[in-house]
Amino acid sequence: MSSYIRPKRPGAAVFFTLALAERGSDLLVRQVDLLRDVARRTRADKPFAINAWVVLPDHMHFVWTLPEGDADYSNRVGMLKARFTRALTGGIWAPRRVGFHPTGDEGHDGSGVEPHPTGLSHSKMAKQDGRVWQRRFWEHHIRDEADLQAHVRYCWINPVKHGLVERP
């Protein structure tokens, strides 16, 4: 299993990319009001400043600045993803018979683990993010004002790059 070590700089500005599990979907723009509501609630619970945010059909980029003395961006992103997923699915995460079953009832592959009916791996179901989101996210800590401006511009230009608009 991969072990990710994420930087912990209190009060940092951080650029993020989050992508849907199903690339090519238009879920984020169809559900943009829900995404806005989830972001508002997450921000109310764990404050952060939004420097830039762009939502495209199947992924989004944003720059957040954390409060002084706070480096916990990972839980904020996790809250955002989890709340969005729960809101979409009605809070229902009921994988059936996950894990080893000592009754001798083996899964289809002989592992003792019955496949989940959605076709998702049990680890994705346990993490509860595989149905909607790619499992992790990409982040870049902003180094200086020029780096901040470059990443804000990236948010502006990304819809142009993807052919969604003619200009930012």
Side-chain angles (χ1 to χ4, degrees):
M1 170 154 76
S2 298
S3 176
Y4 290 89
I5 300 173
R6 298 196 185 272
K8 303 279 187 199
R9 273 191 19 231
V14 185
F15 171 82
F16 300 91
T17 300
L18 275 66
L20 293 176
E22 184 184 339
R23 294 307 296 255
S25 169
D26 67 348
L27 178 67
L28 292 178
V29 293
R30 277 189 293 114
Q31 296 292 337
V32 73
D33 289 336
L34 176 64
L35 184 60
R36 284 183 184 124
D37 180 58
V38 164
R40 241 185 317 276
R41 288 187 296 136
T42 301
R43 195 169 172 211
D45 290 344
K46 303 265 301 170
F48 56 90
I50 300 172
N51 304 88
W53 198 321
V54 61
V55 177
L56 291 95
D58 65 355
H59 69 286
M60 59 186 175
H61 305 285
F62 47 92
V63 180
W64 288 349
T65 299
L66 300 175
E68 288 301 318
D70 190 340
D72 188 17
Y73 60 86
S74 192
N75 279 329
R76 285 171 170 86
V77 171
M79 286 172 75
L80 180 86
K81 289 170 64 174
R83 285 175 167 169
F84 185 77
T85 299
R86 278 194 299 272
L88 282 175
T89 61
I92 299 169
W93 281 96
R96 61 184 173 104
R97 303 192 61 207
V98 175
F100 175 72
H101 304 288
T103 63
D105 182 15
E106 294 184 348
H108 297 277
D109 63 358
S111 67
V113 178
E114 185 176 323
H116 190 271
T118 64
L120 295 172
S121 71
H122 292 287
S123 64
K124 283 189 176 190
M125 291 304 298
K127 290 278 187 186
Q128 296 188 4
D129 64 356
R131 187 179 291 175
V132 176
W133 299 101
Q134 285 185 359
R135 194 172 219 177
R136 294 181 177 89
F137 59 89
W138 190 84
E139 98 281 341
H140 164 78
H141 275 66
I142 303 296
R143 296 182 300 269
D144 55 27
E145 185 62 29
D147 195 30
L148 174 63
Q149 293 309 314
H151 283 84
V152 168
R153 276 192 307 276
Y154 185 85
C155 289
W156 292 346
I157 202 70
N158 204 246
V160 176
K161 173 184 154 188
H162 286 281
L164 300 170
V165 296
E166 289 184 21
R167 62 186 205 288

